[in-house]
Amino acid sequence: MASKKKEFRPLCRVDPAKVEDMQQMADALKELDTQQLAYISGAIQMARMMGNMKKRSTGQTEPKPA
């Protein structure tokens, strides 16, 4: 199956270098196996939980889910 590379058009006020970095990161993630992706996913979830705990302890309100 041939994959077509999508052309990214940066939005207003978005640094093109950051868009390129994000695309490189996405390409690197595609090369990982499922166990490595599960590890990264767990780390992201843990970071979110820690951030939420920190917000609660400082009295900040959490953003409402969409």
Side-chain angles (χ1 to χ4, degrees):
M1 182 168 154
S3 64
K4 295 181 181 179
K5 193 95 170 175
K6 292 183 180 179
E7 181 181 332
F8 289 95
R9 296 181 188 152
L11 301 173
C12 296
R13 299 184 209 139
V14 176
D15 184 10
K18 291 194 183 276
V19 172
E20 185 178 344
D21 288 345
M22 291 299 291
Q23 183 59 46
Q24 289 175 354
M25 179 66 72
D27 292 341
L29 287 171
K30 289 177 187 175
E31 295 176 9
L32 298 177
D33 66 19
T34 55
Q35 190 173 15
Q36 292 168 322
L37 288 173
Y39 181 83
I40 292 170
S41 176
I44 291 169
Q45 290 176 6
M46 181 60 75
R48 283 183 180 166
M49 286 179 14
M50 296 298 289
N52 288 339
M53 289 173 58
K54 186 175 181 180
K55 285 179 186 177
R56 287 182 192 152
S57 68
T58 59
Q60 296 177 355
T61 59
E62 293 182 34
K64 294 182 180 179

Coordinates of all heavy atoms in Angstrom, one line a residue:
M1 N 0.8 -1.2 0.0 CA 0.0 0.0 0.0 C 0.9 1.2 0.0 O 1.7 1.4 0.9 CB -0.9 0.0 1.2 CG -1.8 1.1 1.3 SD -2.9 0.7 2.7 CE -3.4 2.3 3.2
A2 N 0.7 2.1 -1.0 CA 1.6 3.3 -1.1 C 1.0 4.3 -0.2 O -0.1 4.6 -0.1 CB 1.5 3.8 -2.5
S3 N 2.0 4.9 0.6 CA 1.5 6.0 1.5 C 1.9 7.3 0.8 O 2.9 7.5 0.3 CB 2.2 5.9 2.8 OG 3.6 6.0 2.6
K4 N 0.9 8.2 0.9 CA 1.1 9.5 0.3 C 1.5 10.5 1.4 O 0.8 10.5 2.5 CB -0.2 10.0 -0.3 CG -0.6 9.2 -1.5 CD -1.9 9.7 -2.2 CE -2.3 8.9 -3.3 NZ -3.5 9.4 -4.0
K5 N 2.5 11.2 1.2 CA 3.0 12.2 2.2 C 2.1 13.4 2.1 O 2.0 14.0 1.0 CB 4.4 12.5 1.9 CG 5.1 13.3 3.0 CD 5.8 12.3 3.8 CE 6.7 13.0 4.8 NZ 7.4 12.1 5.7
K6 N 1.5 13.8 3.2 CA 0.6 14.9 3.2 C 1.4 16.2 3.2 O 2.4 16.2 4.0 CB -0.4 14.9 4.3 CG -1.4 13.8 4.3 CD -2.3 13.9 5.4 CE -3.4 12.8 5.3 NZ -4.3 12.8 6.5
E7 N 1.0 17.2 2.5 CA 1.7 18.5 2.6 C 1.0 19.3 3.7 O -0.2 19.5 3.7 CB 1.6 19.2 1.3 CG 2.3 20.6 1.3 CD 2.1 21.3 0.0 OE1 2.0 20.6 -1.1 OE2 2.1 22.5 0.0
F8 N 1.8 19.7 4.7 CA 1.3 20.5 5.8 C 1.4 22.0 5.5 O 2.5 22.5 5.1 CB 2.1 20.2 7.1 CG 1.8 18.8 7.6 CD1 2.6 17.7 7.3 CD2 0.7 18.6 8.3 CE1 2.3 16.5 7.7 CE2 0.3 17.3 8.8 CZ 1.2 16.3 8.5
R9 N 0.3 22.7 5.7 CA 0.3 24.1 5.5 C 0.2 24.7 6.9 O -0.9 24.5 7.6 CB -0.9 24.5 4.7 CG -0.8 24.0 3.3 CD -1.9 24.4 2.4 NE -1.8 23.7 1.1 CZ -2.9 23.4 0.4 NH1 -4.1 23.7 0.8 NH2 -2.7 22.7 -0.7
P10 N 1.2 25.4 7.4 CA 1.1 25.9 8.7 C 0.0 26.9 8.9 O -0.3 27.7 8.0 CB 2.5 26.6 8.9 CG 3.3 26.3 7.7 CD 2.4 25.6 6.7
L11 N -0.6 26.9 10.1 CA -1.6 27.9 10.4 C -1.0 29.2 10.7 O 0.2 29.3 10.9 CB -2.4 27.4 11.6 CG -3.1 26.0 11.5 CD1 -3.7 25.6 12.8 CD2 -4.2 26.1 10.4
C12 N -1.8 30.2 10.8 CA -1.3 31.6 11.2 C -0.6 31.5 12.5 O -1.0 30.8 13.5 CB -2.4 32.6 11.3 SG -3.2 32.8 9.7
R13 N 0.5 32.2 12.6 CA 1.3 32.3 13.9 C 1.9 30.9 14.3 O 2.2 30.8 15.5 CB 0.5 32.9 15.0 CG 0.0 34.3 14.7 CD -0.7 34.8 15.9 NE -1.7 35.8 15.4 CZ -2.9 35.9 15.9 NH1 -3.3 35.1 16.8 NH2 -3.7 36.7 15.4
V14 N 2.1 30.0 13.5 CA 2.7 28.7 13.8 C 4.1 28.7 13.1 O 4.2 28.9 11.9 CB 1.9 27.5 13.4 CG1 2.6 26.2 13.7 CG2 0.5 27.5 14.1
D15 N 5.1 28.5 13.9 CA 6.4 28.4 13.4 C 6.6 27.2 12.5 O 6.4 26.1 13.0 CB 7.4 28.4 14.6 CG 8.9 28.4 14.2 OD1 9.1 28.7 13.0 OD2 9.7 28.2 15.1
P16 N 7.0 27.5 11.3 CA 7.2 26.3 10.3 C 8.3 25.3 10.8 O 8.1 24.1 10.6 CB 7.7 27.0 9.1 CG 7.3 28.4 9.1 CD 7.2 28.7 10.6
A17 N 9.3 25.8 11.6 CA 10.3 24.9 12.1 C 9.6 23.9 13.1 O 9.9 22.7 13.2 CB 11.4 25.6 12.8
K18 N 8.7 24.4 13.9 CA 8.0 23.6 14.9 C 7.1 22.5 14.2 O 7.0 21.4 14.6 CB 7.1 24.4 15.9 CG 8.0 25.2 16.8 CD 7.2 25.7 18.0 CE 8.0 26.6 18.9 NZ 8.8 25.9 19.8
V19 N 6.5 23.0 13.1 CA 5.6 22.0 12.3 C 6.5 20.9 11.8 O 6.1 19.7 11.8 CB 4.9 22.8 11.2 CG1 4.2 21.8 10.2 CG2 3.9 23.8 11.7
E20 N 7.7 21.3 11.3 CA 8.6 20.3 10.7 C 9.1 19.3 11.9 O 9.1 18.1 11.7 CB 9.8 21.0 10.1 CG 10.8 20.0 9.4 CD 11.9 20.7 8.7 OE1 11.9 21.9 8.5 OE2 12.9 19.9 8.4
D21 N 9.4 19.9 13.0 CA 9.8 19.0 14.2 C 8.7 18.0 14.5 O 8.9 16.9 14.8 CB 10.1 19.9 15.4 CG 11.4 20.6 15.2 OD1 12.2 20.3 14.3 OD2 11.6 21.6 16.0
M22 N 7.4 18.5 14.5 CA 6.3 17.7 14.9 C 6.1 16.5 13.9 O 5.8 15.4 14.2 CB 5.0 18.5 15.0 CG 5.0 19.4 16.2 SD 5.1 18.5 17.8 CE 3.6 17.7 17.8
Q23 N 6.3 16.9 12.6 CA 6.2 15.9 11.5 C 7.3 14.8 11.7 O 7.1 13.6 11.5 CB 6.3 16.5 10.1 CG 6.1 15.5 9.0 CD 4.8 14.8 9.1 OE1 3.8 15.4 9.3 NE2 4.8 13.5 8.9
Q24 N 8.5 15.3 12.0 CA 9.6 14.3 12.3 C 9.3 13.4 13.5 O 9.6 12.2 13.4 CB 10.9 15.1 12.5 CG 11.5 15.7 11.2 CD 12.7 16.6 11.5 OE1 13.1 16.8 12.6 NE2 13.3 17.1 10.4
M25 N 8.7 14.0 14.5 CA 8.4 13.2 15.7 C 7.3 12.1 15.3 O 7.4 11.0 15.7 CB 7.8 14.1 16.8 CG 7.4 13.4 18.0 SD 8.8 12.6 18.9 CE 9.6 14.0 19.5
A26 N 6.3 12.6 14.5 CA 5.3 11.6 14.1 C 5.8 10.5 13.3 O 5.5 9.3 13.4 CB 4.2 12.4 13.3
D27 N 6.8 10.8 12.4 CA 7.4 9.8 11.6 C 8.2 8.8 12.4 O 8.2 7.6 12.2 CB 8.3 10.4 10.5 CG 7.5 11.2 9.4 OD1 6.3 10.9 9.3 OD2 8.1 12.0 8.8
A28 N 8.9 9.4 13.4 CA 9.7 8.5 14.3 C 8.8 7.6 15.2 O 9.1 6.4 15.4 CB 10.5 9.4 15.3
L29 N 7.6 8.1 15.6 CA 6.7 7.3 16.4 C 6.1 6.1 15.5 O 5.8 5.0 16.0 CB 5.5 8.1 16.9 CG 5.9 9.1 18.0 CD1 4.8 10.0 18.3 CD2 6.3 8.3 19.3
K30 N 6.0 6.3 14.2 CA 5.5 5.3 13.3 C 6.4 4.1 13.3 O 6.0 3.0 13.0 CB 5.2 5.8 11.9 CG 4.1 6.8 11.8 CD 4.0 7.4 10.4 CE 2.9 8.4 10.3 NZ 2.9 9.1 9.0
E31 N 7.7 4.3 13.5 CA 8.7 3.3 13.4 C 8.8 2.4 14.7 O 9.4 1.4 14.7 CB 10.0 3.9 13.1 CG 10.1 4.5 11.7 CD 11.4 5.2 11.5 OE1 12.3 5.0 12.2 OE2 11.5 5.9 10.4
L32 N 8.2 2.8 15.8 CA 8.3 2.1 17.1 C 7.3 0.9 17.1 O 6.3 0.9 16.4 CB 7.9 3.0 18.2 CG 8.8 4.2 18.4 CD1 8.3 5.1 19.6 CD2 10.3 3.8 18.6
D33 N 7.7 -0.1 17.9 CA 6.8 -1.3 18.0 C 5.8 -1.0 19.1 O 5.8 0.0 19.8 CB 7.6 -2.5 18.3 CG 8.3 -2.5 19.6 OD1 7.9 -1.8 20.5 OD2 9.2 -3.4 19.8
T34 N 4.8 -1.9 19.2 CA 3.7 -1.6 20.1 C 4.1 -1.5 21.6 O 3.5 -0.7 22.3 CB 2.6 -2.7 20.0 OG1 3.2 -4.0 20.2 CG2 2.0 -2.7 18.6
Q35 N 5.1 -2.3 22.0 CA 5.6 -2.2 23.4 C 6.2 -0.8 23.7 O 6.0 -0.2 24.7 CB 6.6 -3.3 23.7 CG 6.9 -3.4 25.2 CD 7.8 -4.6 25.4 OE1 8.3 -5.2 24.5 NE2 7.9 -5.0 26.7
Q36 N 7.0 -0.3 22.7 CA 7.6 1.0 22.9 C 6.5 2.1 22.9 O 6.6 3.0 23.7 CB 8.6 1.3 21.8 CG 9.8 0.4 21.9 CD 10.7 0.5 20.6 OE1 10.1 0.5 19.5 NE2 12.0 0.4 20.8
L37 N 5.5 2.0 22.1 CA 4.4 2.9 22.1 C 3.6 2.9 23.4 O 3.2 3.9 23.9 CB 3.5 2.7 20.9 CG 4.1 3.1 19.5 CD1 3.1 2.6 18.4 CD2 4.3 4.5 19.4
A38 N 3.4 1.7 23.9 CA 2.7 1.6 25.2 C 3.4 2.2 26.3 O 2.8 2.9 27.2 CB 2.4 0.1 25.5
Y39 N 4.7 2.1 26.3 CA 5.6 2.8 27.3 C 5.4 4.3 27.2 O 5.3 5.0 28.2 CB 7.0 2.4 27.1 CG 8.0 3.0 28.1 CD1 8.1 2.4 29.4 CD2 8.7 4.1 27.9 CE1 9.0 2.9 30.3 CE2 9.5 4.7 28.8 CZ 9.7 4.1 30.0 OH 10.5 4.6 31.0
I40 N 5.5 4.8 26.0 CA 5.4 6.3 25.8 C 4.0 6.7 26.2 O 3.8 7.8 26.9 CB 5.7 6.6 24.3 CG1 7.2 6.4 24.1 CG2 5.3 8.1 24.0 CD1 7.6 6.5 22.6
S41 N 3.0 6.0 25.9 CA 1.6 6.3 26.2 C 1.4 6.4 27.7 O 0.8 7.3 28.3 CB 0.6 5.3 25.6 OG -0.7 5.6 26.0
G42 N 2.0 5.4 28.4 CA 1.9 5.4 29.9 C 2.7 6.6 30.5 O 2.2 7.2 31.5
A43 N 3.8 7.0 29.9 CA 4.5 8.1 30.4 C 3.7 9.4 30.2 O 3.7 10.3 31.1 CB 5.9 8.3 29.7
I44 N 3.0 9.6 29.1 CA 2.2 10.7 28.8 C 1.0 10.8 29.8 O 0.7 11.8 30.4 CB 1.7 10.7 27.4 CG1 2.9 11.0 26.4 CG2 0.6 11.8 27.2 CD1 2.6 10.7 25.0
Q45 N 0.4 9.7 30.1 CA -0.7 9.6 31.0 C -0.3 10.0 32.4 O -1.0 10.7 33.1 CB -1.4 8.3 31.0 CG -2.1 8.0 29.7 CD -2.7 6.6 29.7 OE1 -2.6 5.8 30.6 NE2 -3.3 6.2 28.5
M46 N 0.9 9.5 32.8 CA 1.4 9.8 34.1 C 1.7 11.3 34.2 O 1.4 11.9 35.3 CB 2.7 9.0 34.4 CG 3.3 9.3 35.8 SD 2.2 8.9 37.1 CE 2.3 7.1 37.1
A47 N 2.3 11.9 33.2 CA 2.6 13.3 33.2 C 1.3 14.1 33.3 O 1.3 15.1 34.1 CB 3.4 13.7 32.0
R48 N 0.3 13.7 32.6 CA -1.0 14.4 32.7 C -1.6 14.3 34.2 O -2.1 15.3 34.7 CB -2.0 13.8 31.8 CG -1.8 14.2 30.4 CD -2.9 13.7 29.5 NE -2.7 14.1 28.1 CZ -3.3 13.5 27.1 NH1 -4.2 12.5 27.3 NH2 -3.1 13.9 25.8
M49 N -1.5 13.1 34.8 CA -2.0 12.9 36.1 C -1.3 13.8 37.1 O -1.9 14.5 38.0 CB -1.9 11.5 36.5 CG -3.0 10.6 35.9 SD -2.9 8.8 36.3 CE -1.9 8.7 37.7
M50 N 0.1 13.9 37.0 CA 0.9 14.7 37.9 C 0.5 16.1 37.7 O 0.5 16.9 38.7 CB 2.4 14.4 37.6 CG 2.8 13.0 37.9 SD 2.6 12.5 39.6 CE 3.8 13.5 40.4
G51 N 0.3 16.6 36.4 CA 0.0 18.0 36.2 C -1.4 18.3 36.8 O -1.5 19.4 37.4
N52 N -2.3 17.4 36.7 CA -3.7 17.6 37.3 C -3.6 17.7 38.8 O -4.2 18.5 39.4 CB -4.6 16.6 36.8 CG -5.1 16.7 35.4 OD1 -4.9 17.8 34.8 ND2 -5.5 15.6 34.8
M53 N -2.8 16.8 39.4 CA -2.6 16.8 40.8 C -2.0 18.1 41.3 O -2.4 18.7 42.3 CB -1.7 15.6 41.3 CG -2.5 14.3 41.2 SD -1.4 12.9 41.5 CE -0.8 13.2 43.1
K54 N -1.0 18.6 40.5 CA -0.3 19.9 40.9 C -1.3 21.0 40.8 O -1.3 21.9 41.7 CB 0.8 20.1 40.0 CG 1.7 21.3 40.3 CD 2.9 21.4 39.4 CE 3.7 22.6 39.8 NZ 4.9 22.7 39.0
K55 N -2.2 21.0 39.8 CA -3.2 22.1 39.6 C -4.1 22.1 40.8 O -4.5 23.1 41.3 CB -3.9 22.0 38.3 CG -3.1 22.4 37.1 CD -3.9 22.2 35.9 CE -3.1 22.4 34.6 NZ -3.9 22.1 33.4
R56 N -4.6 20.9 41.2 CA -5.5 20.8 42.3 C -4.9 21.3 43.6 O -5.6 21.9 44.4 CB -6.0 19.4 42.4 CG -6.9 18.9 41.4 CD -7.4 17.5 41.6 NE -8.1 17.0 40.4 CZ -8.1 15.8 40.0 NH1 -7.6 14.8 40.8 NH2 -8.8 15.4 38.9
S57 N -3.6 21.0 43.8 CA -3.0 21.3 45.1 C -2.7 22.8 45.1 O -2.7 23.4 46.2 CB -1.7 20.6 45.3 OG -0.7 21.0 44.3
T58 N -2.6 23.5 44.0 CA -2.4 24.9 44.0 C -3.7 25.7 43.9 O -3.7 26.9 43.9 CB -1.5 25.4 42.9 OG1 -2.0 25.0 41.6 CG2 -0.1 24.8 43.0
G59 N -4.8 25.0 43.7 CA -6.2 25.6 43.7 C -6.6 26.1 42.3 O -7.6 26.8 42.2
Q60 N -5.8 25.7 41.3 CA -6.2 26.1 39.9 C -7.3 25.2 39.5 O -7.4 24.0 39.9 CB -5.1 26.0 39.0 CG -3.9 27.0 39.3 CD -2.8 26.8 38.3 OE1 -2.8 25.9 37.5 NE2 -1.8 27.6 38.5
T61 N -8.2 25.7 38.6 CA -9.3 24.9 38.1 C -8.8 24.2 36.8 O -8.0 24.7 36.1 CB -10.5 25.7 37.7 OG1 -10.1 26.7 36.8 CG2 -11.1 26.4 39.0
E62 N -9.4 23.0 36.6 CA -9.0 22.2 35.4 C -9.9 22.7 34.3 O -11.0 23.0 34.4 CB -9.3 20.7 35.7 CG -8.4 20.1 36.7 CD -8.7 18.6 36.9 OE1 -9.0 18.0 35.9 OE2 -8.6 18.1 38.0
P63 N -9.3 22.6 33.0 CA -10.2 22.9 31.9 C -11.3 21.9 31.7 O -11.1 20.7 31.9 CB -9.2 22.9 30.7 CG -8.0 22.2 31.2 CD -8.0 22.3 32.7
K64 N -12.4 22.4 31.2 CA -13.5 21.4 31.0 C -13.3 20.6 29.8 O -12.9 21.2 28.8 CB -14.9 22.2 30.9 CG -15.2 22.9 32.2 CD -16.6 23.6 32.1 CE -16.9 24.3 33.4 NZ -18.2 25.0 33.3
P65 N -13.6 19.3 29.8 CA -13.4 18.5 28.5 C -14.4 18.9 27.5 O -15.5 19.3 27.8 CB -13.6 17.1 29.0 CG -14.2 17.2 30.4 CD -14.0 18.5 30.9
A66 N -14.0 18.8 26.2 CA -14.8 19.2 25.1 C -15.9 18.2 24.9 O -16.0 17.1 25.2 CB -14.0 19.4 23.9

